[in-house]
């Protein structure tokens, strides 16, 4: 079974217990998504809003979220089952793959464009964003082509704007516009440089293309992921010259680097802007800002001094979409009691069909152990990590499992993992005389650092509850229980850190050292995200 399939996903109704942006009184609080939906882009079709974001090396990729009011969001599917080229992404390609996508609706179809910094600009499309998307089309091959966004004119002419990744192209901080075939499948020229940000807007990238009142607009972040500002360019000619204006920056707020996202309108004519904020281990969380037009320039957020440049707001009245919709949040917990994985889960590389199976009536997810890579140093190289985004600043993740190792093997392993460039996991490991608990940490995993393992003792059986509590500043405390009630701490505090261009993630895994014709397995009964309720962190000075 392909457990990444989204076709039979049930409609989940559970609301997050750890972060809800809708305050229930007609207002919302930022971030609207306290999770790592980096480089978000949004389009509206009728009364429906659709969001996608960077997914880099994970699979499935290009998550699709849906909302009716821009505040309450649900994951409805993915545009990519696997990353392409398939074999290249069969191994973890940290920080590579899908960068800064743009989602648009044109002639009855949804299009997503993105740049893979090593291969070029890709496009996928569909008529049903919650269904199956077509195979990716390579619109333009090339190194360092990133952050692409299309624009279709009323007369059918099409253009595409993109940026360059300095790490691949050897140049950056410029934006280029190309003519594109009306069907959106190929570029028709070598492009025209329409903006050079080297003097005033270093690292200008992430452009989004719009047209309004006879002006072409390019909304583009500049100044760096964690420190930048929102730039807008405008011109009466698609190739410029473009005027420039900073329309939002941090100002007097605590919201660092508020930039890169999407301008969206409501049917009633309101204007809104989505952007990210980089919060280190928690990734790039998504904020929603009110937006107004003054003299054909957008003003984003609150413009307290009237200079045409806004700053982020933390709370605001919800968008006027004509009615009030129920509170919904992206999926987090998973009872594993149907025929597939919840849509919040992603593998760290293109998956094999043998890694995970739904077990139907047993109501569990069975993870078979998979052999570690031949050049294994630590989990940085392991593809079969099943992970999801941190869903809030503080939360607890608990899972119940039963481990059935292959009796012919030793050192099969399964457990609960917090993954980043540093990582930690609490695992069950098979030995000759039974199953042991182990707590493992690694600093600078991306440098090939060996694991530091601490054996905690032998389990009485093969069933256990594993838990990690995440507190402010991404401090994590692992613990375990054999009865589901009394939890014992495992190891010291671990501080989660980002991965490569992503926030830390939490999830499960199953591995083995040996090549053999059969595998042990772990049955995960459920995985639940709940608030922190214990005094775990209160004793920490």
């Amino acid at each position: 079974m392909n457990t990444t399939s989204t076709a039979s996903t049930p409609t989940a109704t559970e609301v997050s217990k750890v972060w809800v942006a809708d305050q229930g009184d007609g207002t919302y609080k930022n971030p609207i998504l306290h999770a790592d939906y980096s480089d978000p882009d949004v389009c509206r079709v009728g009364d429906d809003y659709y969001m996608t974001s960077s997914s880099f090396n994970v699979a499935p990729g290009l998550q699709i979220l849906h909302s009716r009011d821009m505040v309450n969001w649900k994951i409805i599917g993915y545009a990519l089952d696997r990353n392409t080229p398939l074999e290249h992404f069969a191994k973890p390609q940290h920080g590579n793959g899908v960068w800064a996508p743009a989602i648009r609706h044109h002639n009855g179809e949804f299009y997503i464009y993105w740049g893979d910094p090593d291969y070029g600009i890709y496009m996928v499309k569909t008529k049903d964003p919650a269904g199956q998307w077509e195979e990716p089309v390579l619109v333009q091959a090339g190194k360092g082509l990133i952050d692409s966004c299309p624009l279709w004119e009323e007369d059918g002419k099409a253009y595409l704007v993109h940026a360059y990744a300095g790490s691949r192209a050897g140049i950056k901080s410029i934006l280029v516009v190309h003519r594109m075939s009306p069907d959106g499948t190929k570029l028709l020229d070598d492009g025209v440089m329409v903006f050079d940000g080297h003097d005033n807007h270093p690292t200008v990238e992430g452009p989004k293309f719009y047209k309004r009142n006879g002006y072409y607009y390019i909304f583009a972040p500049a100044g760096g992921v964690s420190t930048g500002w929102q730039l807008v360019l405008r011109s009466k000619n698609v190739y410029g010259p473009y005027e420039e204006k900073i329309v939002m920056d941090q100002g007097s707020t605590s919201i660092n680097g508020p930039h890169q996202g999407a301008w969206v309108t409501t049917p009633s004519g309101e204007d809104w802007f989505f952007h990210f904020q980089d919060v280190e281990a928690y990734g790039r969380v998504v904020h929603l800002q009110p937006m107004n037009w003054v003299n054909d320039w957008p003003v984003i957020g609150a413009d307290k001094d009237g200079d045409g440049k806004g700053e982020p707001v933390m709370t605001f009245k919800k968008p006027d979409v004509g009615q009030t919709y129920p509170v919904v949040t992206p999926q987090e917990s998973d009872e594993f009691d149907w025929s597939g994985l919840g849509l919040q889960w992603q593998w760290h590389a293109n998956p094999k069909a043998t890694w995970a199976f739904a077990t139907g009536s047993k109501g569990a997810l069975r993870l078979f152990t998979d052999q570690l890579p031949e050049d294994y140093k630590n989990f940085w190289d392991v593809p079969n990590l099943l992970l999801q985004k941190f869903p809030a600043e503080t939360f607890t993740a608990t899972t119940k499992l039963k481990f059935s190792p292959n009796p012919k093997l030793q050192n099969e392993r399964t457990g609960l993992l917090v993954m980043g460039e540093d990582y930690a996991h609490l695992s069950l490991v098979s030995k000759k005389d039974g199953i042991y608990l182990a707590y493992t940490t690694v600093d600078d995993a991306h440098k090939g650092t060996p694991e530091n393992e601490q054996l905690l003792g032998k389990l009485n059986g093969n069933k256990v509850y594993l838990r990690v509590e995440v507190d402010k500043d991404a401090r994590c405390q692992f613990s375990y229980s054999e009865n589901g009630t009394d939890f014992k701490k495992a190891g010291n505090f671990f501080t989660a850190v980002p991965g490569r261009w992503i926030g830390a993630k939490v999830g499960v895994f199953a591995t083995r050292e040996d090549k053999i014709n059969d595998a042990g397995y772990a049955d995960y009964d459920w995985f639940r995200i709940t608030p922190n309720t214990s005094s775990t962190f209160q004793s920490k000075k």
Side-chain angles (χ1 to χ4, degrees):
M1 158 175 274
N2 173 9
T3 54
T4 62
S5 171
T6 62
S8 58
T9 307
T11 302
T13 57
E14 183 180 359
V15 173
S16 174
K17 299 179 176 68
V18 294
W19 188 263
V20 178
D22 192 324
Q23 301 193 99
D25 60 358
T27 67
Y28 70 91
K29 64 180 179 180
N30 276 318
I32 54 160
L33 295 171
H34 204 310
D36 186 27
Y37 293 97
S38 61
D39 312 319
D41 196 36
V42 180
C43 72
R44 176 177 67 86
V45 180
D47 294 326
D48 297 282
Y49 300 85
Y50 298 93
M51 178 187 294
T52 192
S53 62
S54 296
S55 55
F56 300 102
N57 54 286
V58 300
L62 286 172
Q63 276 173 314
I64 309 297
L65 292 89
H66 171 260
S67 176
R68 302 298 296 274
D69 61 7
M70 289 191 267
V71 171
N72 293 284
W73 292 89
K74 204 70 165 182
I75 308 168
I76 61 170
Y78 288 86
L80 288 176
D81 287 336
R82 304 284 194 277
N83 285 305
T84 186
L86 297 178
E87 190 58 34
H88 178 73
F89 286 99
K91 297 179 180 180
Q93 299 290 337
H94 298 274
N96 302 331
V98 177
W99 285 21
I103 184 169
R104 293 292 182 266
H105 187 257
H106 172 67
N107 281 353
E109 293 185 297
F110 291 85
Y111 291 76
I112 296 178
Y113 287 78
W114 75 95
D116 180 313
D118 296 306
Y119 290 98
I121 295 168
Y122 287 95
M123 178 271 286
V124 287
K125 67 175 183 173
T126 187
K127 291 183 178 178
D128 177 11
Q132 189 67 38
W133 291 66
E134 296 179 10
E135 288 297 310
V137 173
L138 184 60
V139 176
Q140 180 67 43
K143 283 271 189 181
L145 306 177
I146 59 166
D147 302 2
S148 50
C149 182
L151 176 70
W152 281 274
E153 295 264 43
E154 294 82 358
D155 62 5
K157 288 181 181 177
Y159 300 93
L160 184 129
V161 63
H162 70 82
Y164 283 94
S167 58
R168 291 6 182 245
I171 58 171
K172 65 174 186 175
S173 300
I174 67 169
L175 303 178
V176 173
V177 169
H178 299 259
R179 288 190 302 120
M180 184 172 68
S181 60
D183 65 0
T185 62
K186 60 185 177 183
L187 301 186
L188 302 179
D189 59 24
D190 293 332
V192 174
M193 185 179 72
V194 297
F195 188 74
D196 184 341
H198 282 91
D199 291 340
N200 300 314
H201 302 285
T203 318
V204 65
E205 56 189 2
K208 296 294 183 290
F209 224 165
Y210 307 101
K211 195 173 184 184
R212 175 189 181 272
N213 282 1
Y215 280 105
Y216 295 91
Y217 289 92
I218 299 174
F219 286 49
V225 169
S226 60
T227 55
W229 51 88
Q230 184 63 40
L231 174 71
V232 168
L233 312 173
R234 76 175 188 185
S235 175
K236 293 282 190 177
N237 187 299
V238 71
Y239 297 117
Y242 279 87
E243 303 172 83
E244 65 183 76
K245 185 177 177 62
I246 297 175
V247 298
M248 179 177 61
D249 61 16
Q250 179 172 345
S252 61
T253 75
S254 61
I255 308 305
N256 59 291
H259 67 345
Q260 187 147 349
W263 164 39
V264 180
T265 61
T266 67
S268 64
E270 289 184 352
D271 297 282
W272 294 85
F273 187 75
F274 296 85
H275 68 87
F276 72 65
Q277 177 198 7
D278 185 292
V279 281
E280 299 177 346
Y282 298 96
R284 288 178 255 178
V285 301
V286 181
H287 292 239
L288 176 65
Q289 302 295 338
M291 177 174 141
N292 295 292
W293 290 90
V294 178
N295 298 324
D296 284 323
W297 285 107
V299 180
I300 299 174
D303 181 10
K304 295 180 179 179
D305 58 7
D307 66 352
K309 181 177 67 176
E311 62 181 46
V313 300
M314 289 306 296
T315 61
F316 207 78
K317 181 172 66 73
K318 288 169 61 179
D320 179 7
V321 292
Q323 66 181 89
T324 301
Y325 290 96
V327 173
V328 295
T329 52
Q331 299 88 314
E332 297 167 357
S333 299
D334 201 337
E335 296 298 310
F336 301 129
D337 57 2
W338 60 285
S339 59
L341 283 171
L343 293 174
Q344 66 269 36
W345 296 106
Q346 294 168 301
W347 297 101
H348 233 39
N350 285 342
K352 297 177 185 176
T354 53
W355 286 350
F357 292 84
T359 58
S361 60
K362 288 188 177 181
L365 178 73
R366 179 164 294 182
L367 295 185
F368 283 94
T369 64
D370 197 59
Q371 186 183 2
L372 294 168
E374 290 184 9
D375 56 352
Y376 174 78
K377 296 182 180 66
N378 59 46
F379 271 27
W380 192 252
D381 306 313
V382 173
N384 60 317
L385 309 179
L386 184 63
L387 307 175
Q388 62 172 283
K389 307 172 192 300
F390 274 22
E393 184 180 31
T394 67
F395 65 96
T396 297
T398 310
T399 188
K400 178 185 178 183
L401 70 124
K402 176 182 177 182
F403 189 27
S404 302
N406 185 334
K408 299 178 182 178
L409 298 176
Q410 290 187 58
N411 296 315
E412 285 190 295
R413 187 184 300 269
T414 191
L416 179 65
L417 169 72
V418 170
M419 186 69 193
E421 289 195 343
D422 302 346
Y423 70 79
H425 60 73
L426 181 58
S427 63
L428 282 64
V429 57
S430 64
K431 304 289 185 183
K432 275 187 177 180
D433 59 338
I435 297 173
Y436 285 76
L437 272 165
Y439 177 63
T440 303
T441 58
V442 174
D443 290 339
D444 295 325
H446 57 296
K447 296 180 180 178
T449 310
E451 294 181 324
N452 178 25
E453 180 181 90
Q454 175 186 356
L455 282 179
L456 304 177
K458 186 178 176 181
L459 279 181
N460 292 318
N462 66 345
K463 298 178 181 178
V464 73
Y465 299 78
L466 303 180
R467 171 174 289 174
V468 62
E469 295 167 90
V470 179
D471 198 43
K472 293 180 179 179
D473 301 317
R475 287 184 303 146
C476 306
Q477 177 65 63
F478 285 83
S479 59
Y480 64 93
S481 172
E482 293 193 68
N483 61 15
T485 303
D486 304 308
F487 281 81
K488 300 176 183 178
K489 292 182 182 179
N492 297 321
F493 286 101
F494 165 78
T495 300
V497 302
R500 187 69 51 83
W501 300 121
I502 64 171
K505 289 189 166 188
V506 61
V508 295
F509 66 91
T511 61
R512 67 175 189 265
E513 295 178 352
D514 301 290
K515 186 173 184 177
I516 193 173
N517 65 358
D518 202 4
Y521 59 87
D523 284 336
Y524 282 83
D525 191 6
W526 44 258
F527 186 100
R528 295 173 184 163
I529 301 291
T530 56
N532 291 347
T533 56
S534 74
S535 58
T536 295
F537 298 97
Q538 294 175 8
S539 60
K540 174 102 172 153
K541 292 184 180 179

